[in-house]
Amino acid sequence: MDLICPLGSGSSGNSTLIKGGETTILVDAGLSCKAICSALEQIGSHYEELDAILLTHEHSDHVKALPVLLKKLTCPVYGPEPVLDYLSRTMKIPAHTPLVP
């Protein structure tokens, strides 16, 4: 099932789920991890289904849950190279997480 579903939007956090074919991507992780997981469950999904996370930029309302989510799953994080460089210096990103520009 193809799906584009905003999980949260605004100054309190931004996150959108995109499903296409067999691929599931989380665009931004600005809500709390708990809020993202709860929103995913409400639409019949689960964080373990995520194939990748795509970050648009490094503001906290787009990346807040990233370190906690990445403790729970192993998936690549895509984003602009300056964003990924910044996050690798300022956040606790697990060593097993591929950061892909």
Side-chain angles (χ1 to χ4, degrees):
M1 168 172 87
D2 292 343
L3 172 72
I4 298 174
C5 184
L7 304 177
S9 179
S11 60
S12 62
N14 296 278
S15 193
T16 300
L17 183 72
I18 299 176
K19 284 186 173 190
E22 295 187 23
T23 303
T24 303
I25 299 172
L26 185 68
V27 178
D28 291 329
L31 304 168
S32 70
C33 184
K34 182 177 179 178
I36 289 173
C37 291
S38 176
L40 289 171
E41 287 178 14
Q42 288 177 10
I43 61 169
S45 195
H46 195 269
Y47 74 87
E48 291 174 336
E49 297 174 12
L50 296 176
D51 295 305
I53 298 172
L54 171 65
L55 301 176
T56 59
H57 61 285
E58 71 279 5
H59 291 163
S60 64
D61 62 329
H62 292 261
V63 301
K64 181 183 351 184
L66 190 63
V68 178
L69 275 173
L70 294 175
K71 287 181 185 177
K72 295 177 174 266
L73 49 94
T74 302
C75 71
V77 176
Y78 293 86
E81 192 167 356
V83 170
L84 298 176
D85 289 342
Y86 174 80
L87 294 177
S88 68
R89 289 190 320 271
T90 61
M91 287 189 146
K92 293 182 179 179
I93 306 295
H96 67 266
T97 302
L99 300 176
V100 185

